[in-house]
Amino acid sequence: MKRLGIAVIGLGRVGRACVEAAREAGDMRLAGIVRRPEKVAQPLPEGWRDLPVAAHISELRDVDAALICVPTDSVLGTAQQLLQQRIPIVECATLEGPARDAHRDEIGRLAEHHRVPAIVGAGWECGTLPLFKRLFELLIPKGRTEITNRPGVSLHHTSAAQDTKGVRGALCTELRGANGRMQRYVYVELEQGANLDAVSRAIRSDPLFVAEETLVFQVASLAELEQGGHGILMERRGASGRAAHHTLLLEARFHAGCFTAQVMLDAARSLPGRRPGAYAYTVFS
Ligand SMILES: NC(=O)c1ccc[n+]([C@@H]2O[C@H](COP(=O)([O-])OP(=O)(O)OC[C@H]3O[C@@H](n4cnc5c(N)ncnc54)[C@H](OP(=O)(O)O)[C@@H]3O)[C@@H](O)[C@H]2O)c1
């Protein structure tokens, strides 16, 4: 099977999540990352150093799809440049109402003009959440939907992990696993050259953590982790058919960038063989 060559445009929150997700996807190959010229020479996180980095898409080879991860107000200009080069695109701009419609129409016009396919609105907030909402409404046509945004997980500092050799900073949370048992999640930012396995072993053997299942994850930035954690509660109540009091509930805790990345990859998989034009995201795979 030929692996899909992915270019990631812009290495912010969503871009980084796309690189991580594409590296883990067995059916994808990272053709490279496009960054602003002043950022091209900036070192990449350890483990990513083999990835080609360029200031322009034309410097990358074998690109089958480009994932646009630049700020919302730069998406259209970036899309135009890529489509001009006849590169199929996926974008996820967080836009609403008439602005979103105008954005989609313009990308559609460019995609048809340059004879390339483009997928628009492939993210969480604009992309997947509306699909969940639509499905809830389909199952309970007469009813009321309430959506509450709330913090994802409550992270707290942990001096036991923080004081471990090689750890620059640590945050911890407790979640109940699928089996009902409590699990501790410890997120660590490591000192240069520190070894994650050694750090994980040291944390797990600390008296504070030894009694419970403890999972240790390395993150590039704890500040970003605190910012990115997100949660949502969506509930629809109503009547459908003969039976009354139907309820649907979606409770989610997640990093919006990571969900968006998975949706963008799903959209990219559907690009080969598509006719030119813009397509609104729906679940493809
Ligand atoms: N649909 C959803 O649910 C959803 C959720 C989150 C985000 N988004 C969308 O995803 C996109 C990226 O969001 P983000 O949170 O990852 O943003 P971000 O963290 O600000 O990152 C954007 C990246 O784009 C590059 N960049 C910055 N200024 C630029 C400019 N003027 N021109 C071109 N590139 C520029 C930078 O990468 P380099 O330093 O590598 O050049 C920057 O790190 C936005 O369009 C946002 O609307 C959608």
Side-chain angles (χ1 to χ4, degrees), residues 38-263:
E38 67 272 26
K39 297 283 178 178
V40 169
Q42 216 171 61
L44 294 178
E46 239 175 72
W48 291 14
R49 305 253 157 92
D50 56 325
L51 294 179
V53 181
H56 195 270
I57 190 74
S58 57
E59 297 165 44
L60 300 181
R61 293 174 52 191
D62 300 327
V63 177
D64 297 312
L67 311 183
I68 302 181
C69 308
V70 301
T72 311
D73 57 2
S74 302
V75 170
L76 201 52
T78 305
Q80 180 163 18
Q81 285 174 24
L82 293 161
L83 293 170
Q84 269 169 356
Q85 305 277 323
R86 309 209 59 208
I87 294 183
I89 60 163
V90 175
E91 69 89 53
C92 64
T94 318
L95 290 166
E96 293 196 354
R100 184 193 52 206
D101 297 343
H103 178 84
R104 184 182 301 173
D105 289 350
E106 183 56 9
I107 291 190
R109 193 188 66 74
L110 291 164
E112 275 172 30
H113 178 73
H114 295 292
R115 315 292 305 150
V116 195
I119 294 171
V120 295
W124 163 249
E125 214 155 308
C126 300
T128 331
L129 184 59
L131 294 179
F132 276 112
K133 263 197 237 171
R134 179 72 199 98
L135 195 56
F136 276 30
E137 286 162 6
L138 182 148
L139 292 168
I140 306 181
K142 287 183 188 154
R144 186 179 148 83
T145 307
E146 276 179 30
I147 297 182
T148 321
N149 283 304
R150 49 195 214 174
V153 286
S154 91
L155 293 163
H156 52 86
H157 289 273
T158 155
S159 57
Q162 176 86 43
D163 296 342
T164 304
K165 188 166 173 269
V167 172
R168 185 179 298 146
L171 286 170
C172 177
T173 191
E174 290 82 29
L175 293 172
R176 207 166 281 286
N179 58 7
R181 300 223 327 255
M182 282 311 274
Q183 293 176 320
R184 282 177 197 264
Y185 284 54
V186 182
Y187 299 93
V188 290
E189 203 178 302
L190 296 185
E191 306 277 9
Q192 186 102 30
N195 178 287
L196 179 63
D197 287 340
V199 166
S200 303
R201 274 197 303 275
I203 292 176
R204 282 200 292 262
S205 58
D206 186 280
L208 191 71
F209 294 112
V210 82
E212 272 167 5
E213 188 183 357
T214 299
L215 307 164
V216 180
F217 301 97
Q218 181 178 3
V219 295
S221 157
L222 288 174
E224 213 170 277
L225 177 75
E226 280 187 292
Q227 234 181 37
H230 192 72
I232 194 170
L233 187 71
M234 181 163 87
E235 188 170 11
R236 184 164 177 84
R237 291 168 184 270
S240 126
R242 275 185 238 166
H245 311 304
H246 284 168
T247 302
L248 283 164
L249 190 67
L250 170 74
E251 187 185 9
R253 299 189 194 97
F254 55 94
H255 187 290
C258 293
F259 270 17
T260 295
Q262 293 299 347
V263 175

